[in-house]
């Protein structure tokens, strides 16, 4: 469903047709609606309400053939997230009804919430309405007009902020939803150059340049592919008087076959979302630029395709990373960490950021441990870890911290090189992957790693998402930036 919102001055409901929504308290009481309804409509609504046994969430009544009343209940001062979810519920309901038009009498939200909560409600409505139909011959044609009927003027600042977040989230979802034959590294790099238009400074390092720079860990992953490999940086300077820089690094494996350590056929098609970490970084940067965030941030993504072939990397190959450290590639399917290794060292060296957060669909083990409830969070810094955890709780994109320890680190030592890319003993696959990444933080920069393998994509719809790409991480990191650095 496509949501199109308009704002209008509320006058009288007798002039409104279609669905008309009011907010109520938790008990769905309607005394405060008396002034909006004719006395006969008010009486009718009371009768209809008495005959309903459930009084939770969302109630709908056909008042007459032309007007359907929807009552949306809210708890006193409920959290932002609850209001967003309630908006999402309305989207679901209206899409089930095939509704084309809804008027929301937004003044009534103040029965239990501050009046700006209407923007949170709308945000939830719009997030939930996302769908990806680029490759369907029959396009999504169900347009829902949402008319916010209010006595107040539109608060453009808040409205625009939420719009920026939605555009960021939806861009992430679009990228994640694209199949591997379309969004290969060459195409991905081209699309990122387009982001110059919104004020981001974009630099693309191609394969030749990366080889010259010594990013052999990253380049090695892509060498079996007919596509190029890239490192792309996206810079946003929203606070020129401040030297602080926040860095976000993402794994962009456009398709992960496993390489010569080939994956089994079953579910290999899922590996089209193995670039989700990078897509979150891109969506976040887009959001920061669109809402002119007052921070300096840089996004760095490593774009490769992991393919088998005559020129592909072999198990046992040894590569020298950008850091100078050598890696024995025992399993070509543990490729994300190779891409991130060079991207992380490059980011630390080039931008000298105050912190680095990386995101990656890095291990199947994190899905075993945490399923699709929490991302795995690993960090060398308690404060950074706490900030991410708390932002995640607020927007319900949750992250759970798991341990790092030198004893896990040891498991990555190699006989033949400085380290190997998998551990054969000791289990803890997600932690050992994180330990591997930590070896590429050379200057003790506060760093956090989010393993989002279980979060990036869902076969089922969530409270604020339709099924498919979730955009997990964009709202989390936006909150993280907003609460701690703006
Ligand atoms: N992209 C995968 C991880 C993954 C698995 C993402 C499931 C999303 C869903 C990653 O590159 C990978 O293949 N990891 C291996 C590592 C192993 C070889 C040490 C894994 O988890 O099996
Ligand atoms: Mn892999
Ligand atoms: Zn992968």
């Amino acid at each position: 469903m496509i949501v199109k919102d308009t704002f209008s001055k509320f006058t009288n409901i007798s002039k409104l047709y279609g669905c008309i929504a009011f907010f109520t308290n938790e008990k769905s009481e309607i005394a405060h609606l008396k002034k909006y309804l004719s006395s006969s409509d008010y009486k009718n609504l009371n009768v209809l309400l008495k005959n309903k046994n459930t009084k939770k969430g969302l109630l709908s009544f056909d008042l007459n053939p032309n007007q359907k009343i929807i009552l949306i209940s809210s708890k006193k001062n409920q959290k932002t997230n609850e209001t967003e979810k309630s908006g999402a519920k309305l989207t679901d309901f209206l899409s089930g009804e095939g509704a084309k038009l809804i008027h929301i009498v937004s003044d009534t939200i103040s029965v239990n919430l501050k009046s700006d909560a209407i923007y949170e409600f709308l945000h939830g409505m719009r997030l939930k309405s996302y769908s990806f139909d680029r490759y369907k011959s029959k396009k999504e044609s169900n347009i829902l007009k949402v008319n916010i009927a209010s006595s107040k003027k539109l608060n453009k600042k808040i409205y625009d902020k939420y719009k920026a977040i939605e555009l960021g989230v939806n861009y992430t979802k679009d990228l994640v939803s694209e199949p591997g034959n379309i969004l290969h590294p060459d195409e991905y790099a081209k699309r990122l150059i387009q982001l110059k238009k919104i004020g981001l400074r974009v630099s693309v390092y191609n394969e030749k340049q990366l080889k010259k720079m010594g990013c052999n860990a990253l380049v090695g992953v892509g060498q079996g592919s007919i596509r190029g490999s890239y490192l792309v940086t996206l810079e946003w300077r929203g606070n020129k008087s401040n030297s602080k820089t926040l860095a976000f690094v993402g794994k962009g494996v456009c398709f992960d076959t496993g390489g010569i350590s080939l994956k089994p056929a079953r579910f290999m098609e899922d590996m089209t979302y193995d670039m989700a970490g990078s897509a979150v970084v891109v969506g976040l940067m887009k959001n920061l630029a669109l809402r002119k965030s007052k921070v300096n941030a840089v996004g760095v993504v490593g774009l490769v395709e992991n393919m088998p072939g005559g020129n592909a990397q072999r198990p046992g190959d040894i590569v020298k990373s950008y850091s100078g450290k050598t890696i024995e590639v025992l399993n070509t399917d543990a490729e994300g960490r190779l891409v991130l290794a060079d991207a992380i060292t490059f980011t630390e060296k080039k931008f000298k950021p105050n912190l680095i957060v990386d995101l990656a669909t890095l291990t199947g083990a994190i899905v075993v441990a945490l399923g699709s409830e929490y991302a795995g969070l690993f960090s060398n810094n308690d404060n950074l870890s706490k900030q991410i955890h708390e932002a995640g709780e607020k927007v319900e994109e949750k992250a759970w911290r798991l341990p790092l320890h030198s004893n896990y680190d040891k498991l990555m030592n190699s006989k033949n090189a400085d380290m190997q890319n998998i551990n054969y003993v000791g289990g803890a696959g997600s932690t050992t992957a994180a330990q591997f990444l930590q070896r590429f933080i050379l200057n003790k920069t506060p760093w956090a790693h989010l393993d989002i393998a279980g979060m990036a994509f869902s076969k089922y719809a969530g409270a604020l998402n339709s099924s498919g790409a979730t955009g997990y991480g964009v709202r989390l990191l936006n909150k993280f930036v907003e609460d701690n650095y703006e």
Side-chain angles (χ1 to χ4, degrees), residues 42-94:
Y42 181 73
K43 256 188 222 140
N44 283 341
L45 190 57
N46 259 315
V47 173
L48 290 166
L49 204 49
K50 277 211 186 81
N51 298 331
K52 288 264 173 180
N53 38 17
T54 66
K55 291 202 174 177
K56 267 198 177 156
L58 212 146
L59 293 172
S60 85
F61 311 92
D62 290 321
L63 200 59
N64 57 54
N66 296 322
Q67 293 182 313
K68 186 192 275 293
I69 300 283
I70 296 174
L71 299 180
I72 302 154
S73 76
S74 61
K75 289 188 218 106
K76 188 105 201 134
N77 296 323
Q78 69 191 9
K79 291 198 179 121
T80 300
N81 196 252
E82 295 299 319
T83 309
E84 289 168 356
K85 283 199 273 192
S86 148
K89 241 188 196 173
L90 180 60
T91 294
D92 252 357
F93 173 80
L94 294 171

Side-chain angles (χ1 to χ4, degrees), residues 166-301:
E166 287 151 27
L167 289 168
V169 169
N170 289 349
Y171 195 57
T172 299
K173 289 181 178 181
D174 284 349
L175 291 170
V176 172
S177 304
E178 288 281 16
N181 63 326
I182 306 284
L183 195 76
H184 46 70
D186 299 331
E187 167 68 17
Y188 199 166
K190 264 191 210 147
R191 288 199 193 176
L192 294 185
I193 293 170
Q194 300 296 312
L195 293 173
K196 284 180 181 172
K197 282 188 212 145
I198 58 167
L200 289 170
R201 181 173 171 190
V202 184
S203 313
V204 178
Y205 300 85
N206 65 24
E207 199 165 327
K208 207 172 141 201
Q209 293 165 309
L210 290 171
K211 272 188 191 155
K212 218 165 151 190
M213 289 154 63
C215 291
N216 302 306
L218 188 157
V219 167
V221 174
Q223 77 186 34
S225 167
I226 61 161
R227 309 295 176 184
S229 297
Y230 301 88
L231 193 82
V232 181
T233 67
L234 310 160
E235 294 168 75
W236 171 249
R237 286 189 65 83
N239 190 347
K240 298 225 163 77
S241 61
N242 191 329
S243 60
K244 252 194 186 165
T245 301
L246 314 174
F248 302 96
V249 179
K251 167 180 174 181
V253 176
C254 294
F255 196 82
D256 180 14
T257 64
I260 297 297
S261 313
L262 194 65
K263 285 184 181 296
R266 202 170 142 80
F267 301 135
M268 195 202 272
E269 67 273 18
D270 287 351
M271 286 303 110
T272 179
Y273 73 76
D274 210 21
M275 34 57 73
S278 69
V280 173
V281 169
V282 172
L284 174 72
M285 294 306 297
K286 177 165 180 162
N287 152 57
L288 294 178
L290 288 177
R291 69 179 184 78
K292 306 232 177 321
S293 165
K294 296 215 161 13
V295 295
N296 302 322
V298 56
V300 178
V301 295

Side-chain angles (χ1 to χ4, degrees), residues 296-339:
N296 302 322
V298 56
V300 178
V301 295
L303 311 180
V304 300
E305 183 181 48
N306 188 19
M307 296 291 269
N311 193 46
Q313 180 152 259
R314 290 149 291 262
D317 281 3
I318 294 177
V319 294
K320 187 168 185 174
S321 67
Y322 181 69
S323 69
K325 298 182 186 190
T326 58
I327 306 164
E328 185 179 21
V329 181
L330 292 179
N331 189 319
T332 63
D333 197 13
E335 85 297 341
R337 63 196 74 181
L338 298 171
V339 173

Side-chain angles (χ1 to χ4, degrees), residues 358-366 374-378 430 433 449-455:
D358 81 72
L359 300 106
T361 47
L362 203 63
T363 65
I366 204 69
Y374 286 86
L377 166 61
F378 302 85
S430 303
H449 157 60
L450 283 164
D451 192 337
I452 61 169
M455 306 306 293

